[in-house]
């Protein structure tokens, strides 16, 4: 399996990246500097993670040419509500210490706001300050709405996706429309790692349950951004391209679905 995917605008994105949710800035910097020698090139942050400055410090000191790295960040809900899209983006660039990002995402589909937000995203993309633009946490209805009104089709939809939350409706919709699905919390924060099904398959391949879960996601046509700041886990999570699950194993893992969401929906979207 290829380690990269080509987005609908021709930009090449690594299939594996490092998620940085809830990592402190200094922890973020160290995790990136540890991950780069292991082959990681995609690093996923967001304005709401409060660690963009840590990403920036790591990029500046990594000794890897900027064009070899793939940096993703996201706009938060309040900036959408007040219509301060351009300002929020510029502040992210400033914290990252970068002239451009590789992927800029709408973090959540704020009702009544995301269509206007996307129009500004299209301007940011045309300016060259984001090599690709996309969304996160969009369902089929919201994505259909966006597709009906956009000039530029989102390159990526980042969603929670793992063996306990198999969102194949939105996955299939995205794949049909040329939108890459990127799975966050792909390890369900450890919730499926003791599964007998996964452990049995892992034993066959001399792998861990985590590696099997990540490989299953890749074979479902998605990309993955597992989060870890621990060296052994970073290395383990990166070793998922040199084995392949067969059809019966894929089906067995499909059967673990419980529609179990581990990521919480922001309070301001619940009212």
């Amino acid at each position: 399996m290829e380690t990269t995917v080509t987005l609908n605008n021709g930009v090449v994105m690594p299939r594996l990246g490092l998620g940085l949710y809830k990592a402190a800035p200094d922890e973020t910097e160290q995790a990136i500097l540890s991950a780069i020698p292991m082959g990681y090139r995609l690093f996923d942050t967001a304005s709401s993670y409060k660690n963009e400055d840590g990403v920036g410090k790591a990029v500046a000191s990594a000794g890897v040419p900027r064009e070899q790295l793939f940096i993703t960040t996201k706009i938060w809900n309040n900036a959408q509500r007040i219509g301060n899209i351009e300002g929020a983006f510029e502040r992210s660039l400033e914290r990252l210490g970068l002239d451009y990002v590789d992927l800029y995402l709408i973090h959540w589909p704020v009702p009544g706001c995301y269509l206007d937000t996307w129009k500004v995203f299209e301007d940011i993309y045309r300016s060259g300050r984001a090599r690709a633009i996309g969304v996160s946490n969009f369902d089929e209805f919201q994505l259909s709405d966006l597709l009906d009104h956009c000039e530029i089709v989102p390159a990526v939809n980042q969603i929670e996706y793992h063996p306990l939350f198999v969102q194949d409706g939105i996955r299939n919709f995205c794949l049909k429309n040329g939108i890459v699905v990127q799975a966050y919390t792909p390890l369900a924060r450890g919730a499926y790692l003791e599964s007998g099904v996964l452990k049995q398959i892992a034993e066959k391949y001399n792998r861990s349950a985590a590696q099997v879960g990540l490989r299953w996601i890749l074979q479902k046509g998605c990309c993955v951004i597992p989060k870890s700041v621990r060296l052994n886990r970073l290395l383990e999570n990166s070793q998922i391209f040199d084995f392949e699950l067969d059809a019966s194993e894929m089906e067995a893992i499909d059967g673990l679905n419980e529609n179990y969401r581990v990521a919480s929906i922001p309070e301001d979207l619940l009212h």
Side-chain angles (χ1 to χ4, degrees):
M1 175 182 280
E2 292 288 328
T3 59
T4 60
V5 63
T6 302
L7 304 180
N8 57 21
N9 66 347
V11 167
V12 175
M13 182 178 84
R15 287 188 187 274
L16 169 72
L18 177 60
L20 294 163
Y21 175 64
K22 281 196 170 170
D26 55 340
E27 217 177 21
T28 294
E29 184 181 359
Q30 193 48 57
I32 292 172
L33 293 175
S34 299
I36 284 175
M38 298 175 190
Y40 286 87
R41 290 296 180 267
L42 187 155
F43 302 101
D44 179 89
T45 184
S47 62
S48 65
Y49 297 174
K50 310 292 186 200
N51 58 19
E52 289 171 313
D53 52 340
V55 174
K57 284 178 184 168
V59 169
S61 62
V64 174
R66 167 68 184 96
E67 62 271 16
Q68 290 182 20
L69 300 174
F70 195 102
I71 308 298
T72 301
T73 194
K74 313 176 193 78
I75 192 167
W76 189 242
N77 303 344
N78 55 351
Q80 292 191 67
R81 286 201 175 88
I82 63 174
N84 188 17
I85 317 306
E86 178 69 35
F89 178 68
E90 281 298 329
R91 285 192 293 278
S92 281
L93 280 186
E94 193 177 326
R95 287 189 290 265
L96 289 162
L98 300 176
D99 298 325
Y100 70 92
V101 294
D102 297 277
L103 179 62
Y104 195 42
L105 302 179
I106 297 180
H107 207 150
W108 287 90
V110 177
C113 296
Y114 60 79
L115 292 179
D116 290 332
T117 299
W118 189 255
K119 283 188 172 64
V120 184
F121 267 49
E122 291 179 329
D123 291 338
I124 289 168
Y125 173 72
R126 290 187 189 104
S127 77
R129 291 170 295 156
R131 295 178 66 229
I133 50 175
V135 296
S136 181
N137 298 299
F138 274 54
D139 62 23
E140 290 166 73
F141 171 80
Q142 292 148 347
L143 211 41
S144 294
D145 186 30
L146 187 58
L147 290 175
D148 285 343
H149 294 90
C150 69
E151 291 180 38
I152 298 168
V153 174
V156 171
N157 185 17
Q158 192 182 100
I159 59 172
E160 180 175 342
Y161 192 93
H162 49 72
L164 301 180
F165 195 32
V166 185
Q167 296 201 73
D168 273 349
I170 185 62
R171 180 187 71 97
N172 291 332
F173 181 89
C174 288
L175 295 179
K176 190 173 76 179
N177 285 280
I179 300 166
V180 168
V181 175
Q182 193 176 49
Y184 73 79
T185 58
L187 298 173
R189 297 184 188 148
Y192 65 76
L193 299 187
E194 294 303 313
S195 155
V197 170
L198 282 157
K199 286 168 94 170
Q200 188 177 6
I201 296 169
E203 198 175 326
K204 172 184 168 183
Y205 292 101
N206 195 24
R207 300 284 167 155
S208 67
Q211 288 171 320
V212 170
L214 294 174
R215 179 68 200 191
W216 170 84
I217 295 170
L218 289 181
Q219 288 185 216
K220 296 285 278 187
C222 305
C223 300
V224 286
I225 46 169
K227 183 253 173 148
S228 184
V229 294
R230 289 166 54 184
L231 278 174
N232 59 330
R233 291 283 167 78
L234 285 168
L235 186 58
E236 181 184 307
N237 293 343
S238 72
Q239 297 173 337
I240 53 176
F241 290 99
D242 56 349
F243 72 105
E244 188 170 350
L245 305 174
D246 66 30
S248 64
E249 291 160 348
M250 291 293 291
E251 198 175 320
I253 298 171
D254 284 350
L256 297 175
N257 181 46
E258 300 173 4
N259 293 324
Y260 174 68
R261 180 192 289 274
V262 298
S264 55
I265 297 169
E267 285 287 319
D268 64 338
L269 293 181
L270 294 174
H271 304 301

